[in-house]
Amino acid sequence: MILVQEDDFQVDALYKGLLKANETGAVAMFVGLVRQFSDLPNGACHFELEHYPGMTERNLQTIVDEANARWPLLDVCVVHRVGRLSVDDQIVFVGVSAAHRADAFQACDFIMDYLKSRAAFWKKESQGSESHWVEANTNDEKSLERW
């Protein structure tokens, strides 16, 4: 399942959707949250996540297809929020179920690395009246080298 949505998500429901009776030996999950990105004491921090409907989902499907080709997975769930998000809001859920934990852990890590650097999302951070578009992070690009 791949969802791009403004609404928040319920981790327990997504987890339960990954379970396959008599097959699941492991579920690995990642939940990304909005953290305080500024040390400035004044003004609330938030950001806007934008995407191109249709194109973003195809990007995510390509990443999930690659993970399924590399590891014997039972199921994958990716939920990514868009719109205005504030500190402590959930941004992304990646869940992977497999027969074995190593496959689940590696696939979840792989999907997050590729999602951070290859998925079609654009982020604008704001604090008070100041805002700026976030540039690509070189550390995210370096994380891809191990795959």
mmCIF file of all heavy atoms in Angstrom, residues 23-27 72-74 97-106:
data_model
loop_
_atom_site.group_PDB
_atom_site.id
_atom_site.type_symbol
_atom_site.label_atom_id
_atom_site.label_comp_id
_atom_site.label_asym_id
_atom_site.label_seq_id
_atom_site.Cartn_x
_atom_site.Cartn_y
_atom_site.Cartn_z
ATOM 1 N N GLU A 23 2.727 -16.575 8.233
ATOM 2 C CA GLU A 23 3.874 -16.302 7.371
ATOM 3 C C GLU A 23 4.834 -15.273 7.966
ATOM 4 O O GLU A 23 6.035 -15.379 7.782
ATOM 5 C CB GLU A 23 3.408 -15.776 6.006
ATOM 6 C CG GLU A 23 2.596 -16.750 5.191
ATOM 7 C CD GLU A 23 2.180 -16.126 3.878
ATOM 8 O OE1 GLU A 23 3.065 -15.861 3.044
ATOM 9 O OE2 GLU A 23 0.969 -15.898 3.701
ATOM 10 N N THR A 24 4.287 -14.271 8.639
ATOM 11 C CA THR A 24 5.097 -13.154 9.110
ATOM 12 C C THR A 24 5.986 -13.576 10.265
ATOM 13 O O THR A 24 5.513 -14.040 11.289
ATOM 14 C CB THR A 24 4.201 -11.972 9.555
ATOM 15 O OG1 THR A 24 3.362 -11.613 8.467
ATOM 16 C CG2 THR A 24 5.045 -10.783 9.965
ATOM 17 N N GLY A 25 7.288 -13.386 10.076
ATOM 18 C CA GLY A 25 8.255 -13.634 11.134
ATOM 19 C C GLY A 25 8.824 -12.337 11.681
ATOM 20 O O GLY A 25 9.384 -12.308 12.771
ATOM 21 N N ALA A 26 8.671 -11.242 10.917
ATOM 22 C CA ALA A 26 9.237 -9.963 11.342
ATOM 23 C C ALA A 26 8.517 -8.813 10.659
ATOM 24 O O ALA A 26 8.112 -8.919 9.502
ATOM 25 C CB ALA A 26 10.721 -9.910 10.988
ATOM 26 N N VAL A 27 8.380 -7.744 11.400
ATOM 27 C CA VAL A 27 7.890 -6.478 10.855
ATOM 28 C C VAL A 27 8.869 -5.405 11.293
ATOM 29 O O VAL A 27 9.158 -5.269 12.484
ATOM 30 C CB VAL A 27 6.469 -6.132 11.359
ATOM 31 C CG1 VAL A 27 6.050 -4.746 10.874
ATOM 32 C CG2 VAL A 27 5.460 -7.176 10.916
ATOM 33 N N PRO A 72 12.893 -11.021 -0.150
ATOM 34 C CA PRO A 72 11.620 -11.755 -0.192
ATOM 35 C C PRO A 72 10.653 -11.179 0.855
ATOM 36 O O PRO A 72 10.623 -11.608 2.011
ATOM 37 C CB PRO A 72 12.033 -13.189 0.137
ATOM 38 C CG PRO A 72 13.269 -13.040 0.973
ATOM 39 C CD PRO A 72 13.961 -11.798 0.464
ATOM 40 N N LEU A 73 9.878 -10.187 0.456
ATOM 41 C CA LEU A 73 8.991 -9.485 1.375
ATOM 42 C C LEU A 73 7.562 -10.003 1.260
ATOM 43 O O LEU A 73 7.127 -10.420 0.183
ATOM 44 C CB LEU A 73 9.018 -7.986 1.065
ATOM 45 C CG LEU A 73 10.413 -7.346 1.041
ATOM 46 C CD1 LEU A 73 10.318 -5.875 0.674
ATOM 47 C CD2 LEU A 73 11.127 -7.545 2.371
ATOM 48 N N LEU A 74 6.851 -9.939 2.361
ATOM 49 C CA LEU A 74 5.442 -10.323 2.363
ATOM 50 C C LEU A 74 4.548 -9.127 2.042
ATOM 51 O O LEU A 74 3.570 -9.255 1.333
ATOM 52 C CB LEU A 74 5.051 -10.912 3.716
ATOM 53 C CG LEU A 74 5.807 -12.185 4.106
ATOM 54 C CD1 LEU A 74 5.474 -12.579 5.541
ATOM 55 C CD2 LEU A 74 5.451 -13.309 3.136
ATOM 56 N N SER A 97 6.953 -6.260 6.090
ATOM 57 C CA SER A 97 6.858 -7.568 6.732
ATOM 58 C C SER A 97 7.559 -8.607 5.863
ATOM 59 O O SER A 97 7.565 -8.512 4.638
ATOM 60 C CB SER A 97 5.395 -7.961 6.976
ATOM 61 O OG SER A 97 4.683 -8.090 5.777
ATOM 62 N N ALA A 98 8.169 -9.563 6.553
ATOM 63 C CA ALA A 98 8.928 -10.618 5.881
ATOM 64 C C ALA A 98 8.953 -11.841 6.795
ATOM 65 O O ALA A 98 8.578 -11.765 7.961
ATOM 66 C CB ALA A 98 10.354 -10.140 5.583
ATOM 67 N N ALA A 99 9.418 -12.931 6.264
ATOM 68 C CA ALA A 99 9.559 -14.136 7.074
ATOM 69 C C ALA A 99 10.720 -14.000 8.057
ATOM 70 O O ALA A 99 10.684 -14.565 9.149
ATOM 71 C CB ALA A 99 9.770 -15.357 6.176
ATOM 72 N N HIS A 100 11.732 -13.216 7.673
ATOM 73 C CA HIS A 100 12.947 -13.103 8.487
ATOM 74 C C HIS A 100 13.278 -11.645 8.778
ATOM 75 O O HIS A 100 13.104 -10.763 7.922
ATOM 76 C CB HIS A 100 14.115 -13.770 7.759
ATOM 77 C CG HIS A 100 13.847 -15.207 7.447
ATOM 78 N ND1 HIS A 100 13.866 -16.194 8.403
ATOM 79 C CD2 HIS A 100 13.490 -15.808 6.288
ATOM 80 C CE1 HIS A 100 13.561 -17.352 7.846
ATOM 81 N NE2 HIS A 100 13.326 -17.148 6.566
ATOM 82 N N ARG A 101 13.807 -11.384 9.977
ATOM 83 C CA ARG A 101 14.061 -10.014 10.428
ATOM 84 C C ARG A 101 15.085 -9.273 9.586
ATOM 85 O O ARG A 101 14.915 -8.082 9.327
ATOM 86 C CB ARG A 101 14.473 -9.995 11.895
ATOM 87 C CG ARG A 101 15.791 -10.650 12.190
ATOM 88 C CD ARG A 101 16.112 -10.623 13.679
ATOM 89 N NE ARG A 101 17.115 -11.594 13.997
ATOM 90 C CZ ARG A 101 18.413 -11.406 13.853
ATOM 91 N NH1 ARG A 101 18.863 -10.272 13.407
ATOM 92 N NH2 ARG A 101 19.265 -12.361 14.143
ATOM 93 N N ALA A 102 16.135 -9.935 9.142
ATOM 94 C CA ALA A 102 17.166 -9.246 8.358
ATOM 95 C C ALA A 102 16.563 -8.664 7.076
ATOM 96 O O ALA A 102 16.871 -7.516 6.708
ATOM 97 C CB ALA A 102 18.323 -10.184 8.029
ATOM 98 N N ASP A 103 15.717 -9.425 6.421
ATOM 99 C CA ASP A 103 15.076 -8.934 5.202
ATOM 100 C C ASP A 103 14.187 -7.730 5.504
ATOM 101 O O ASP A 103 14.202 -6.730 4.772
ATOM 102 C CB ASP A 103 14.233 -10.031 4.546
ATOM 103 C CG ASP A 103 15.061 -11.200 4.042
ATOM 104 O OD1 ASP A 103 16.242 -10.979 3.674
ATOM 105 O OD2 ASP A 103 14.534 -12.323 4.008
ATOM 106 N N ALA A 104 13.422 -7.797 6.591
ATOM 107 C CA ALA A 104 12.530 -6.693 6.957
ATOM 108 C C ALA A 104 13.331 -5.437 7.305
ATOM 109 O O ALA A 104 13.019 -4.338 6.831
ATOM 110 C CB ALA A 104 11.627 -7.099 8.121
ATOM 111 N N PHE A 105 14.370 -5.584 8.133
ATOM 112 C CA PHE A 105 15.195 -4.429 8.517
ATOM 113 C C PHE A 105 15.861 -3.788 7.302
ATOM 114 O O PHE A 105 15.826 -2.569 7.126
ATOM 115 C CB PHE A 105 16.306 -4.842 9.501
ATOM 116 C CG PHE A 105 15.878 -4.890 10.938
ATOM 117 C CD1 PHE A 105 16.139 -6.018 11.696
ATOM 118 C CD2 PHE A 105 15.244 -3.816 11.545
ATOM 119 C CE1 PHE A 105 15.774 -6.078 13.034
ATOM 120 C CE2 PHE A 105 14.875 -3.866 12.877
ATOM 121 C CZ PHE A 105 15.138 -5.007 13.628
ATOM 122 N N GLN A 106 16.496 -4.601 6.472
ATOM 123 C CA GLN A 106 17.226 -4.058 5.325
ATOM 124 C C GLN A 106 16.291 -3.385 4.330
ATOM 125 O O GLN A 106 16.589 -2.297 3.825
ATOM 126 C CB GLN A 106 18.034 -5.159 4.645
ATOM 127 C CG GLN A 106 19.210 -5.619 5.481
ATOM 128 C CD GLN A 106 19.904 -6.835 4.904
ATOM 129 O OE1 GLN A 106 19.531 -7.352 3.859
ATOM 130 N NE2 GLN A 106 20.936 -7.305 5.596
#
